[in-house]
Amino acid sequence: MTFFLVAVAAGQSNVPNSAYSNLIKDIGTEGVYVHYNTNLLFTGEYLHFKLYALSKKNQSLSNTSKVAYVELLDREGERKIIQKVKLVDGMGQGDIFVPTNLDSGHYTFVAYTTYMKNWPSDTFFADDVVVLNPYTNDQKVFWESRGKDSLEHGLRNLNKEATKTLSKDLGLVMDKSQYGKREKVRLTVEAKPNNYGIYSISVRKISKELAYGDRISPVDYTKKYRSVDLDVASNDYLPDLRGEMVIGRLSSNSGLQTMNKKLVFSLPGNQYSFKMVTTDSEGKFRFSLDSENLDTESIFQVWGADKDQYSVEVAPVPELNLSKRPSKHFVLNKGMKKLIEERSTHNQIENAYFNSKPDTVKLNNNFIPIYGNNFIEYNLDEYTRFPTFRETLVEIVANAWIASNNEGEENIFVRDFEATNMDVGYNPLIIVDGILLQDHKDLIDYDIKKVETIRLARNQYVVGGQIFQGVFDVKTFDSDFAENYQKTYFNEISLLRPKPQKKYFKQNYGNKTFGTIPDFRQQLLWEPNLELGEPTTTLEFYTSDLEGEFEIVIEGFTTRIQPVKVVTKFRVQ
């Protein structure tokens, strides 16, 4: 199946429709459910989300797509925010910071995979959200709304949601029903074996006055996506089976041929990503990018002669053309004025103290370069430093040297394990901070004092059909070679990449460290990976300086993909 999908990706337009239709039937349909923390947001706040990719055929979390997309669309369907989300074992997570220049209004929060585009867009996850920008006087969209008052609508739906979901087999037991400010809360989650699974939990302040009703539940969405008909598939989209798909086109500024050209792609940095691909008969290219390096700034360059006569364009994510009228209206009234002012003030204070309460990024330190682990590393500070690159190669780095090629150009060479003389036949692959160097002279003349390590791999390697005799991999101290190395044939392109996963901040007043720092958190806890595999699981978190009613929501799916949502509340006085 994997080999067949790769072949299809290389020439999708040539695949018979019947063969592709059979392939879709073999894979089955896919859905994406999103648990998110709130559907009424102020600018300057975060929308936290957890994605669950679902396989209808296997009745499990889906391992088909490795990438999903979340978007925020306005009422006309215009894209305001888009994010790419990495899926691991059918799950993904992230957050959206609502910028202060976003207008007040009704928006649609959408989530989908590329593969899901084979079916009508009403199979996407799509829910109504309200964004309120308190820093502008333009709130006309809420004054002109026609519908039931938000207060009445919110109260009715909040009560309905709590009644509907508390009947689940997942039990929530709290040590109190009311807490003081900055007090520890102990929550015990009771689960039966048939409810074991991975969930997400949100603890957030709710307001009967500032409410926008209920959100789509996992039960509702599961019914919707399971009704998808395989026979209505458009057969136009393959799943992102091996990672992110990068698609683009090569063009020539001077009318040169663009077919069968080798194109080098680099994501510079410590954990760099490197690929060499070949364009098709129309100058198009596509490749899967499965990299832990989530930087957005990439470099494309054509391999070989006349490389400065080409330009590269990467295709953006196509617009959805999905306009959706809100199913309910948010209406401002005078009684909300004080609440809006207070919440806006609290948000500004919280953002001002963000550095004291930061989220942390989960780093992956399992980077393996394209040449594997078969290399010799020279940390130059462990040797006597020499003033030039040439002298360093002579005095420190064994089995590498500088010589002139047939055109009189100076190149770096790496000796093979089997070689008995200097004639090795192929040039090595030269990499500096993740960038492939075609002009060896640029490294030969480089300031050696900026170089931290040199790695030498002596085997022959084939990359994108190109043979290299060894790899000469250089790392600078500041990993900033790309910032200062400019070539006319470099195509620097910013890509849409997934954001790194975060470990979200959890306040702890046990050590009194934060006793003098204001605490106006609306969101007391967001844990996107709550694993329930025991009869009881205990969670602890702290209240803030805000009084009022708070809501605990746990959502997700059991190991048998049964949807679960449980809600309970408590007060802070």
Side-chain angles (χ1 to χ4, degrees):
M1 177 70 72
T2 299
F3 283 116
F4 183 64
L5 284 174
V6 171
V8 172
Q12 180 173 330
S13 61
N14 297 322
V15 177
N17 193 60
S18 59
Y20 195 7
S21 178
N22 290 334
L23 177 62
I24 285 184
K25 289 183 179 179
D26 287 338
I27 298 175
T29 58
E30 192 171 50
V32 173
Y33 176 73
V34 185
H35 174 202
Y36 64 106
N37 60 333
T38 179
N39 58 2
L40 195 155
L41 291 145
F42 282 28
T43 55
E45 295 182 345
Y46 281 91
L47 187 155
H48 297 291
F49 59 83
K50 167 71 176 286
L51 270 61
Y52 299 87
L54 308 173
S55 169
K56 176 181 177 181
K57 181 177 181 179
N58 299 325
Q59 289 297 293
S60 65
L61 292 175
S62 173
N63 280 314
T64 300
S65 294
K66 300 300 185 290
V67 174
Y69 296 88
V70 296
E71 300 195 28
L72 200 63
L73 310 176
D74 65 14
R75 292 184 67 169
E76 286 69 44
E78 182 180 344
R79 175 183 291 157
K80 295 300 181 180
I81 296 173
I82 179 172
Q83 280 191 16
K84 186 182 286 186
V85 183
K86 187 174 183 179
L87 298 177
V88 179
D89 297 327
M91 294 178 289
Q93 65 184 72
D95 54 63
I96 293 174
F97 179 76
V98 183
T100 54
N101 61 355
L102 195 64
D103 294 333
S104 293
H106 295 88
Y107 292 83
T108 304
F109 182 42
V110 183
Y112 60 95
T113 64
T114 300
Y115 182 56
M116 290 170 62
K117 289 184 177 181
N118 286 306
W119 292 273
S121 59
D122 57 7
T123 60
F124 295 177
F125 177 92
D127 208 359
D128 299 330
V129 298
V130 161
V131 172
L132 200 158
N133 188 336
Y135 310 111
T136 176
N137 292 325
D138 184 9
Q139 309 295 344
K140 185 178 180 181
V141 62
F142 298 139
W143 292 116
E144 287 190 342
S145 294
R146 294 291 182 265
K148 294 186 177 180
D149 186 88
S150 298
L151 173 59
E152 177 188 344
H153 188 81
L155 278 171
R156 185 181 70 252
N157 282 284
L158 285 172
N159 292 332
K160 171 188 172 185
E161 192 71 7
T163 304
K164 181 177 66 174
T165 56
L166 282 173
S167 62
K168 296 291 183 182
D169 291 335
L170 213 60
L172 304 182
V173 180
M174 307 187 70
D175 54 340
K176 293 181 180 181
S177 59
Q178 183 169 301
Y179 297 85
K181 298 177 181 178
R182 305 194 179 195
E183 185 178 352
K184 180 189 289 187
V185 179
R186 289 178 59 88
L187 170 68
T188 300
V189 184
E190 299 176 341
K192 298 178 181 179
N194 61 337
N195 286 109
Y196 290 171
I198 299 179
Y199 297 82
S200 39
I201 179 171
S202 172
V203 182
R204 185 175 178 85
K205 188 177 187 301
I206 57 175
S207 170
K208 295 177 180 178
E209 293 78 13
L210 280 174
Y212 189 49
D214 58 345
R215 286 161 271 163
I216 294 176
S217 75
V219 177
D220 296 334
Y221 180 77
T222 302
K223 290 178 181 177
K224 178 180 176 181
Y225 106 92
R226 284 178 178 170
S227 66
V228 174
D229 184 359
L230 276 173
D231 293 330
V232 301
S234 65
N235 302 342
D236 291 331
Y237 298 96
L238 285 170
D240 295 308
L241 190 66
R242 296 190 298 165
E244 307 168 58
M245 188 66 72
V246 180
I247 303 172
R249 181 191 291 270
L250 180 68
S251 60
S252 171
N253 304 325
S254 54
L256 295 177
Q257 180 177 291
T258 59
M259 65 180 295
N260 297 327
K261 298 295 293 185
K262 294 187 184 300
L263 194 62
V264 180
F265 164 82
S266 302
L267 273 176
N270 289 329
Q271 298 190 357
Y272 63 82
S273 184
F274 171 89
K275 287 183 178 292
M276 183 180 286
V277 296
T278 303
T279 60
D280 65 12
S281 60
E282 298 178 343
K284 297 178 181 179
F285 63 88
R286 64 169 63 217
F287 60 88
S288 290
L289 178 58
D290 184 15
S291 174
E292 296 298 332
N293 177 0
L294 298 179
D295 289 344
T296 59
E297 301 308 314
S298 68
I299 295 175
F300 288 82
Q301 55 179 306
V302 172
W303 175 262
D306 300 321
K307 46 188 173 289
D308 58 346
Q309 299 298 310
Y310 294 91
S311 59
V312 176
E313 181 182 0
V314 172
V317 180
E319 296 282 349
L320 290 179
N321 296 320
L322 175 67
S323 60
K324 179 178 179 295
R325 307 298 294 180
S327 58
K328 49 189 176 292
H329 295 279
F330 178 78
V331 182
L332 282 174
N333 59 58
K334 293 181 180 180
M336 297 178 181
K337 183 175 184 294
K338 183 179 179 182
L339 293 172
I340 292 173
E341 289 175 345
E342 288 180 350
R343 184 160 157 179
S344 301
T345 301
H346 295 159
N347 286 339
Q348 292 179 65
I349 294 173
E350 281 295 291
N351 289 332
Y353 282 92
F354 176 79
N355 290 333
S356 301
K357 312 173 186 182
D359 301 326
T360 55
V361 174
K362 297 180 180 180
L363 298 177
N364 189 310
N365 297 317
N366 298 322
F367 172 67
I368 299 177
I370 61 172
Y371 46 86
N373 294 315
N374 187 18
F375 60 85
I376 300 171
E377 182 172 275
Y378 297 90
N379 187 329
L380 299 189
D381 278 349
E382 296 177 356
Y383 301 84
T384 300
R385 281 273 183 174
F386 291 89
T388 66
F389 186 88
R390 296 171 186 271
E391 292 172 279
T392 300
L393 250 62
V394 172
E395 302 295 339
I396 297 177
V397 182
N399 297 300
W401 68 95
I402 298 171
S404 296
N405 60 18
N406 296 333
E407 288 76 31
E409 299 172 338
E410 285 191 315
N411 277 6
I412 299 169
F413 292 93
V414 174
R415 181 178 288 108
D416 194 349
F417 286 105
E418 305 299 328
T420 57
N421 55 49
M422 304 288 273
D423 185 14
V424 296
Y426 299 101
N427 287 336
L429 179 62
I430 306 294
I431 302 173
V432 182
D433 289 343
I435 300 176
L436 181 145
L437 261 63
Q438 299 191 54
D439 301 317
H440 293 199
K441 192 77 162 53
D442 294 337
L443 179 57
I444 295 171
D445 295 338
Y446 190 68
D447 186 354
I448 195 65
K449 293 192 295 294
K450 297 180 179 180
V451 175
E452 181 180 12
T453 62
I454 296 174
R455 286 181 174 182
L456 198 69
R458 295 175 57 192
N459 290 321
Q460 282 192 359
Y461 296 88
V462 179
V463 181
Q466 186 72 30
I467 301 175
F468 295 95
Q469 171 45 54
V471 180
F472 197 91
D473 190 354
V474 175
K475 179 182 179 299
T476 66
F477 281 105
D478 297 324
S479 299
D480 61 350
F481 184 81
E483 298 175 12
N484 305 307
Y485 185 65
Q486 300 295 324
K487 288 291 183 179
T488 57
Y489 55 84
F490 274 9
N491 293 263
E492 299 181 12
I493 298 176
S494 182
L495 302 177
L496 177 66
R497 304 296 315 286
K499 294 183 180 297
Q501 286 196 2
K502 294 179 181 179
K503 182 178 180 182
Y504 291 98
F505 172 78
K506 291 182 181 178
Q507 184 64 273
N508 186 347
Y509 286 116
N511 54 18
K512 306 297 181 184
T513 303
F514 296 85
T516 59
I517 296 177
D519 187 355
F520 295 115
R521 288 173 296 129
Q522 300 270 340
Q523 189 80 39
L524 301 185
L525 177 68
W526 170 258
E527 176 52 64
N529 295 305
L530 174 62
E531 186 170 356
L532 300 182
E534 301 290 339
T536 59
T537 301
T538 301
L539 302 171
E540 295 181 350
F541 57 91
Y542 284 83
T543 61
S544 62
D545 292 333
L546 298 180
E547 297 181 345
E549 193 169 29
F550 288 77
E551 183 180 63
I552 301 174
V553 181
I554 295 181
E555 293 189 14
F557 296 84
T558 68
T559 53
R560 297 179 179 179
I561 312 302
Q562 294 302 310
V564 174
K565 177 173 182 178
V566 183
V567 180
T568 192
K569 300 175 186 177
F570 65 93
R571 292 196 65 82
V572 175
Q573 202 73 31

